[in-house]
Every structure is written in structure tokens, then in C-alpha cells.
Amino acid sequence: MKEEKMEIEEKIAQLRKLREEAKVGGGTKRIEAQHAKGKLTARERLNLLVDAGTFEEIDPFVTHRCTDFGMAERKFLGDSVVTGYGKINNRLIFASSQDFTVFGGSLSEVASKKICKALDLAADSGVPFVAVLDSGGARIQEGTDSLEGYGEIFTRNILYSGVIPQISVVVGPTAGGAVYSPALTDFFFMVKGLGQSYITGPEIIKAVTGEEVSLEELGGAMVNATKSGNCHFVYETEEECFQQVRRLLSFFPQSCQEKPPFIDTNDDPNRVDEELLHIIPANSAQPYEIKKIITKVVDNGEFMEVHERFARNFIVGFARLGGQSVGILANQPMYLAGVLDIDASDKAARFVRVCDCFNLPLVTFIDVPGYMPGTDQEFRGIIRHGAKLLFAYTEATVPKVSVILRKAYGGAYIAMSSKGLRGDINYAWPTAEIAVMGPEGAVNIIYRDEIKKSANPEETRQRLVREYRDKFANPYVAATRGYIDDVIDPRETRPKLIKVLRALQNKDVCNPPKKHGNIPL
Ligand code: HXC
């Protein structure tokens, strides 16, 4: 009996020793080197991500199986990724965090297997997955085993897309094909100065095209956030970044099977706001900040903007209305007068789809003069890209509510959650102008001869513009036909939206049976 006891104690001591070994990954020197670069370790990052003390690691004893290039003697417990589960705001998530201290976080066959296991468990349990990326890419010594490992991860990112929320946090190099995992997930976070994402690096670019570019200019966080639009969120520090990942998930249900969580925000659902009368300038050619309207309407003025630095003529983000999570979309008159262009269409369509996947109602604020004219947009495919937005709004089955604030002209009026595209409730402020095109353009076309022949063409043109404006530049023509469900007092926008979202909360519609739609990509 005494001997048996000794044996189990020895085993426990061995387990403790192995755990301690696993915790230091590639060793204390490499941890120091990681800190010296201003980067946190894989485990420190997971601790920032989850509620204190909730992370449970799985697969800490896995090691690689490569015997080439002297690798048989170079093994580290857990290999190059930490995986497991924990809680965010008391709700379960699964996560992986690449460990740069082990072969630069490079993806081995077993590292891929660990990530895939965690992804499978997340999908099977219906909970979100967060991947933290800091890696030199495919494990060079393992060749195709490593490349296939990427394929396995991509497959899961794709099959679980729309099933569970998937978030990528890039806090180190993510190069080559490896960057397609963040691109496939719902949200892509980066930290300035740490995250780098590109397909081919500066050296290859120089060899092939002769172009010279630095790593930061090519694939730094700001480039990915502003130019390519690959990345949705950029932060200065890792601490802030993980805090915002936690905030983002608070708007989401655990999976597509659930409704988003209700949070009592303590903001009066019947709150009216006098200032809403004074944000839109009297002159309809003048810009204003649409976010002033959004923050006055939503609970406690809290709006989490997504894709803030990309396609700034269109705003998307998350907020709560009466405690209910919603996706907000809006034209931004401060940039390009709020026109719809290629990037805005891509940004908005993707946002509509992520909300629809996870049962978040869509609330759309409209002030759109039309589509961006010009050969640049036409040649780059505004038709194809613009079509994505029509497709996304129409296909979405979540409650869809809109408010036309000012301009809603032409095809852009239709694209913005209109009744024709299955908008559920379409409100307008009395300041709304709804027509095929703006008064100036319309008059020049339909009264061209009359203006030319008149004794005083300019006076005639101005009179006709006034008449056209009186007839069409208001919400009542559309309201008489039921395209607008009601014209509302701007001050009452918040209570009206909250009431109608509650009325629509059990909306249940299905699209016609099909394998899948064919959104124009
Ligand atoms: C194996 C790697 C590695 C890799 C880095 N290491 N990348 N080991 N496979 N891909 C190891 C280094 O040997 C070193 O080991 C440790 O990680 C840290 O690397 P350093 O170079 O010292 O770090 P740093 O100076 O910070 O530079 C980081 C780096 C650089 C920029 C990532 O290591 C680098 O350029 N690595 C190669 C990147 C690459 O070309 N990968 C393949 C991409 S193709 P020690 O023992 O000294 O700690 C690809 C295809 C994916 O990924 C396809 C998917 C479809």
C-alpha cells in the first residue's frame, strides 16, 4: 500500500515537471527574445483573451514527428501552438495561440492537428473560436505535411463559417498562404507594429517586379486596414486588442443556432432626442457626421465600428437597441458625400452576411446620393461589386429595418435595404428625398427642350427644379405607395426602432430550397 502511494506521488511529480516544461515552450531565452521584440507569449495572450483563470489547455504534450534536418533531437512539448478553451464574459470559447518561441510558431503537421481539434470541438459544441497568429508560416523541415496542415485548417474555417463566430488576431508575421485563415474568418484583428500579413514578401516582389517596399508598407496593420480592407480592427497594443475581441463577442450568440444575448443596458427605450432635429444641415448639399445620429439613437451611445478605416463613405458596426444586439449600416456623408462605390459595396455586403449568419437584425440609416460615377469604378466592376449588396440584403432573413434620413436616389435607394429587396419596415424622416435622381440632374434631362427654348433658360430651370423638388424630394410619394411604412419624427427614432425590432423578433422566413445561392463574387 505504501509502495503504491509512492508510485502515484512520483507520477504526479513527473506530471508537474512535464507541465512546467510545456509552459515555457521554446525555453526562457526565447521567451525573453519574444518580450524584447515587444511581443507577448502565446499563453500571456490567451490570459488577456479569456476571463481570469478560466483557460484550460488541451494537447500540452504533443510533439512533432519530423526526423529530417536534425529535428528528432529538437522537440518541445506542445509544439508551436497552445490550444484549449476558456470563458469570455462567462461564455465558453475555444482558442489557439501560436507560440513563436517554438520554431518561430511555424505550422507543423501536429500544430495543425491541434488547431483542427480545437476548431472541431468549438463547432461541435456550438461556441466561438479565436485564433491568435504569430508564425513564420509552414514548418520548412516538414514540407508538404505542413502545407496539408494549412489545407485542413482552411477547410474547417470554411465549413464552420456561419456556424460559429470565428475571429483571427494577427500579432506577428502571417505570410504566404497562411494568411488565408484570417481572411476566411469573420473578423480579422491586427496590432500596429506587430501584425504583418502579405502573400509574397518584399524580397520576392523585388526579384519579380523590381518594386521596392518595406515589410510594414507592404503588410503592416495600417495597410491591411486602410488600403486592402483585409483587416477589420487595428489597435495600438495587444492588451487593447484582446479587450476589443472580448467586446465584439459580447454582441454575438455562441452559434447560428442561438439568438444574440440580451443585455440590460439601462438606457430608456422611450428616450427621445431633441438634437436629432439639428444634425442634418438645411442645405442638402452639405455633409454631416452620420455617427452623431447613430450614437444618439443606440443604447448609451455605444457603437463598435467595424472596418473603420476602409471605405469610409460607408459605416458598419454593432450596437444595442433596448438591450438587443443589432448590426448598423449607414452611408457617411462626410466622405465622398456617402456614395456607394466598389469598396463600400464589398464592405456592406460582407457585414450584412455576418449579421444574417448570427441572427443580428439589420438597422440601416440612409443618406445616399447614388453610385460613384466614373470610368475607374466602371472598369473595376462597380456592377459586379454593387450587385453583392443587393444580393446580401435580399438573401438576409433577419429583421431588416431602415430609416431614410435625407437622400435616397436611384439604384442606391433600392440597394439600401429597400422594400423591393425585402426590407421589413422602412421609415423615413420628413427630410427624406426619394426619387430616381437628384432635382438638378432630373430637370436637365426631362425638360431639356423646354429650358433651351424658354426666354430665360436659367430662371426656367430653377423654377422646374423647385417644382420637381416639391413633387419628389420628400418621403410622401413613396409613403402613399407603401414603399415607406411611416414617416417618423426624427426625435422619436430610438423608440420607434426599439418597438419595431421587438415586434419583429420572432420573424421566421426561409429562402427557397437550394444548394446555395450564387452571389456575384
Ligand atoms: C521552421 C522557422 C520558420 C519556418 C522561423 N523559424 N520560420 N522554423 N519553419 N517557417 C525558426 C527560426 O529558424 C528560428 O529558430 C525561430 O523560428 C525564430 O526565427 P527568427 O528568424 O530568428 O525570428 P525573426 O528574426 O523574428 O524573423 C521571423 C520571420 C523569419 C520573419 C518569420 O523567421 C522568416 O522569414 N521565416 C521564414 C518565413 C517563411 O518564408 N516561411 C514559409 C512561408 S511559405 P531558432 O531555433 O533560432 O529559435 C508558407 C506557405 C503556407 O508559409 C502555405 C499555406 C497554403
Side-chain angles (χ1 to χ4, degrees), residues 378-390:
E378 296 288 347
F379 295 170
R380 290 200 296 124
I382 182 74
I383 297 173
R384 177 165 46 92
H385 291 277
K388 292 177 196 176
L389 186 54
L390 311 184

Side-chain angles (χ1 to χ4, degrees), residues 32 45 123 308 437 480 492 514:
E32 281 163 20
R45 287 167 171 159
E308 186 180 350
M437 62 173 72
T480 56
E492 293 170 6
K514 60 179 113 174

Side-chain angles (χ1 to χ4, degrees), residues 30 37 39 71 74 100-107 135-141 146-147 150-151 154 173 175-180 196 198 215:
R30 290 194 184 87
K37 286 178 192 158
K39 300 204 287 183
M71 289 293 273
R74 300 187 67 207
F100 196 84
T101 69
V102 177
F103 303 110
S106 55
L107 191 89
S135 165
R139 176 81 49 87
I140 294 166
Q141 296 89 335
S146 164
L147 295 180
Y150 277 113
F154 300 160
V179 80
Y180 281 115
Q196 285 171 350
Y198 47 85
L215 265 180

